[in-house]
Amino acid sequence: MDIMLTKIEKRGYLGRRMHVAMLVVVIAVQGCSRAGVEVPDIADVAASSADIQPNILVILADDLGYSDIGPFGAEIQTPTLDALAAEGMVLTNFRVHTMCSPTRAMLLTGLDSHRVGYGTMSGEYTDATRGQPGYEARLDPKIETLGNRLQRLGYRTFIAGKWDMGGRGNPDLWPIRRGFDNSWVLIEGSASHFGKQSALAELPSVTYVANDSEVELPNNFYSSDVYADKAIEFIDANGDKTQPFFGYLSFTAPHYPLQAPDDYIARYAGQYDEGYEAVRNARVKRMRETGIIGVDEQAAPRHPVWPSWEKLPDKIRMLESRRMEIYAAMIESMDHNIGRVVEHLKSTGQWENTVVLFFSDNGPEGGNPLDWGGEPWFDWAENSFDTSLENMGRANSYVWAGPGWAYVSATPFRDAKGFTTEGGIRSPMIITWPGHIRAGATLRADAHILDLMPTIMAMAGDDRGHESILGRSMLPALTGAAANIHGEGEQFGLELLGRRALILGNWKITWNNAPWGRGEEWSLFNLATDPTEIDNVADQHPEKLAELVAAWEKYAQANGVIPIPVYPMGNTNSFTHYKWLPPSMRQGPAAD
């Protein structure tokens, strides 16, 4: 049903504290809610709202696909996220960046990734971008972070988990100096989930940091378990429960290498033997039934460069099934640990005044380390890990999901991490605040990662304009004082490693290199009628295409985007996935 809320006082929307209370109705609101669900009346929310700042907990998954959790159609067991969605709201049209570092930089600064040092990824430079402002591949130390801003408003701030904002060998870039009172983090972007082994051949090891000191890992380390442990520890770090906290729980699950405790993996034995298409079709059916997608919305087809399940030899199917069993286990383990944090907040009496926002940093990973490292990766990985089929998922193993399962994780969209199509940038979003949000609603509105900074600032009671921030506070739409979050002329632009996109209203242009896109030409999609980007209508609407291309050029100029005609990166451009087999499986063809 359409959301109609009574207009309320213009000044701060019932004042700063009511401004705080109303913010977390949902991360974005527009369109329809789940059948039978009504949006709370403003007066009802006002009557139940305490005159205090809420705790704010941002939970970020790493390379999680749009349909990889129960509320968004997955068969994977995620009871905690199911419960959060049931007593809160889900957002179906929330977008992030194409890869992890730019998304995290935009979350922490409210600025385009090119303005804060993430116009590229670490080590990925061209002659044109090397040494240029905005392409440093570390968070600009001159830019204030969300943590800095919230500290000034009286918040205790902490981060537990993945940092990935620079700082390898440079403590000045660690979280303790970037607005976080407490931190326990992995400085680099990925690692073994059971130890300090690097996930990248070029790094001999990784760095874990507690506040201002490097630390060794605790016994029986598993990433999701320890990150939740540290979040709980930091929640309790200050005995004054009247002081609000801002927490950033930044998981490295389900980023490769895929690893999980044995008991979690065992729960999924045989569950994926039917293959990609069967699992994806089942997800589409559930998504239609729950209203995540429309009943007539078509799922994008598999890209023809990748084989269907029926084309794979039996031994590859066995290997692929094992990959997805481990991937699902990682997600269930992460969900369990989110549940531990939620239960702790409840047991300490803080849950009723805590906002939780859960989302992913980009689409699912369809590439792999072979794409980055090429043939030398074989020697490194097989000398550093036990890559046998029997050991997959365990502490000294190395495996990834690959393009076939990324196609499933991104359901119903096209492509995956690294692409500007919806499969690469659409993220599941759940937000809950007990007693303040009507339970079980599914709400639609275009919103994106840059909207989180102004929204969270408003949540904390700061109702100033913050002109330096590029996103929009969602408060006016949430309270009914405005119909939309973004005006008709507002846009959301993206660029990384040459791939680019711009969304303006219901229209979107994308530029992805061949064979994923049109090569040197833009594609145009009408998201109102084609949300999964099946039909490129650039030839039918040349004037609209020209309008959006001109808008993208203005975006690029305003944000210091350096043109890259074609970037020859291996990731998501190589076709190595079906060429690698564990040593014990190397006799016979890998795939048709």
Side-chain angles (χ1 to χ4, degrees), residues 201 402 453 498:
M453 169 75 88

Side-chain angles (χ1 to χ4, degrees), residues 190-318:
S190 62
S192 166
H193 295 274
F194 284 105
K196 292 185 70 173
Q197 286 176 293
S198 171
L200 300 173
E202 61 266 30
L203 297 180
S205 65
V206 293
T207 312
Y208 283 90
V209 167
N211 291 340
D212 56 1
S213 301
E214 292 190 33
V215 294
E216 294 302 316
L217 299 184
N219 293 331
N220 301 317
F221 174 83
Y222 181 67
S223 63
S224 295
D225 294 343
V226 173
Y227 297 157
D229 289 343
K230 295 302 175 181
I232 292 169
E233 177 185 321
F234 294 149
I235 287 169
D236 291 343
N238 186 336
D240 181 8
K241 297 297 190 294
T242 64
Q243 183 184 12
F245 70 77
F246 166 65
Y248 180 18
L249 177 52
S250 178
F251 288 101
T252 48
H255 194 294
Y256 67 64
L258 306 184
Q259 297 169 333
D262 284 350
D263 55 337
Y264 282 96
I265 299 173
R267 296 172 197 175
Y268 293 92
Q271 185 157 340
Y272 296 100
D273 291 352
E274 290 185 327
Y276 315 135
E277 292 81 7
V279 178
R280 197 173 205 247
N281 290 340
R283 290 190 179 189
V284 169
K285 183 175 184 292
R286 285 189 290 270
M287 296 171 91
R288 288 174 177 157
E289 291 172 348
T290 58
I292 295 297
I293 64 175
V295 293
D296 297 322
E297 186 171 323
Q298 298 301 305
R302 172 184 50 83
H303 198 289
V305 302
W306 300 116
S308 65
W309 189 258
E310 67 178 13
K311 295 288 187 181
L312 297 175
D314 288 345
K315 65 180 178 181
I316 300 297
R317 293 184 189 179
M318 179 172 56

Side-chain angles (χ1 to χ4, degrees), residues 391-456:
N391 191 57
M392 282 186 178
R394 298 193 171 118
N396 192 39
S397 67
Y398 203 123
V399 67
W400 54 90
W405 292 119
Y407 158 71
V408 174
S409 294
T411 305
F413 303 115
R414 288 178 52 206
D415 301 328
K417 173 182 176 181
F419 294 93
T420 56
T421 37
E422 294 294 284
I425 66 174
R426 190 83 71 98
S427 167
M429 168 66 86
I430 301 172
I431 181 166
T432 187
W433 188 11
H436 300 275
I437 300 175
R438 185 71 66 178
T442 298
L443 302 171
R444 301 178 182 275
D446 280 335
H448 54 71
I449 186 67
L450 290 173
D451 296 328
L452 290 191
M453 169 75 88
T455 300
I456 290 173

Side-chain angles (χ1 to χ4, degrees), residues 40 211 235 237 278 356 374 378 380-381 477 509 542 580:
N211 291 340
I235 287 169
V356 175
F378 281 101
W380 170 78
I509 54 171
W580 180 84

